[in-house]
Amino acid sequence: MASGEPEECDWGRFHEWIHCFCIVTFDLELGQALELVHPPQVALSERERSNICYLAFPDSNSGCMGDTEYHVRLRVAPDGDGPRLSPAHTTYNGHTTESHRADAGHLWGFVYFRQTRAPDLPRGYFQKSFMLLTRLPFVSLFSRIAHQVAPLFFEHGARVLQEAAMAISKWPSLAQGTLQLPFLGHKFSVTVGEGEPDAHEDSAERIMSLHEPESLQGLIPLLPHVQLLWELVITGEPIVVMASSPADCSHLVHCLSSIIAPMGFSGETRPYFTIHDSEFREFTQRQGPPAVILGVTNPFFAKTLQHWPHTIRLTGTRAPTVATSYRTHLQQQKSLTRQVLGRAGRPLPIQSAMLRRHLLELTQSFIIPLERYMGSLMPLMRDVSPFGAPPAPHHFRQEDFLATLPHAGPQLTTSLKGDWEGLYRRFFRSGNFRAWHELRHRQLTHALQALHLQALASVDLGAWMEGKHEVEVVDMVLKLRQKIAVCSEASRQTRDRLEHHLRDIEDRLPEDLRLLLRSGAST
């Protein structure tokens, strides 16, 4: 590896992808301490530094020897010193679902912890963690980046962080599509945005899905409960995962949060949570747990969270258990375990792919009636007047939607029977519905605005001007200028027509008024 960091590092581009690298070590007097932050100009609040230190080490009860890899999520203080979202983040967020967006309120951390015997050290152990912090929920990509960087750092020191930062600063800007990301002798091909590919066999050149787990391995032992878990997640229920290691609980929390893909889970996800977390009191309050999927390893939580309604235990038994009083709305598909495992026992990657397909089909059957009804809320084309304001989508009325279920419900795409209406009513009370509706309403609004622009671009404004007062014509000029300014994402043809209309109207105005309008536009 070359020594030293090149002088020209594009930190703006680096921060599009990564917030910073942190090194946490064990100090005999201080305990877990933040040893290094790179780049050093990144400011972290005291609360963030404390959370980073505690999350960077597995709980002492875990007994993790060797290397342990997991991911975490920590809240950023509203008045924190860290940078807010960049313009690239804001643009990216406008084209993706809520669960895939860059997060101004949280940081994702990807941890590589090493604990080995070292008789020459005071405690007899080497204990240190590398943590990659980012605002992007790209679990597959950043887990691999941490896996590449951490062992090199433990061997070569801080210059590895400098070279890693330089490599990332040369990545393309964050945007939708398939991107090539070269990194320390490797190259990752990733698809950013919706419609991502399923995971395939390992290959440095394959297309990587950024958001979904590459394996649903953690759900395979829970196959008898998968349908129950799917209902809990899609209705935004609070779930706690109790495991013996942060690697196990963070993987299962990630699987659960993606179990309803392509719909996103809008609640909190904490893949690994400790008793020292700054949100400990908030999440353990007895007034009612928030909508969060929580991963823990400390046995203390078994008592502290005993009031939580849904608990998955990966410890203390031969098989995982699910404790809940929730009664499913849909009938259990008894053949699912046999279909996924196969009679002769399929390889784990194939089991994972079969389970992912089942869950995707179940979620799509749930979403399709919602999408069909949402499409019916679009006003008719005759309601789109070029001379009025763009119409808004009609209101989503829950009872009207439920009335469509007998003839246009999930039974059209799935044989699974049960109380679908009851499940939808529970879903309507969740943050998942609010997030989905907000996104779809925004998309319909944008579609109506585009149709309005097309209608305005196609109208004969020359005929419209006949008999109009100057004040009405001037108002149209101002309206066209405004539409042109905001239609940068519309088709080029529509924009060209609007500009043609603007020039044509301005040319018909008296010269003094035309000059006045143009001077106003220039200022």
Side-chain angles (χ1 to χ4, degrees), residues 12 178 303 374 415 421 451:
T178 299
K303 181 178 181 180
M374 199 72 189
S415 60
E421 179 178 329
L451 290 174

Side-chain angles (χ1 to χ4, degrees), residues 100 156 361 522:
H100 295 171
H156 299 286
E361 291 175 350
S522 64

Side-chain angles (χ1 to χ4, degrees), residues 392-407:
H394 299 307
H395 293 296
F396 189 107
R397 302 186 186 279
Q398 296 179 10
E399 295 303 321
D400 289 351
F401 165 75
L402 295 173
T404 69
L405 294 182
H407 62 274

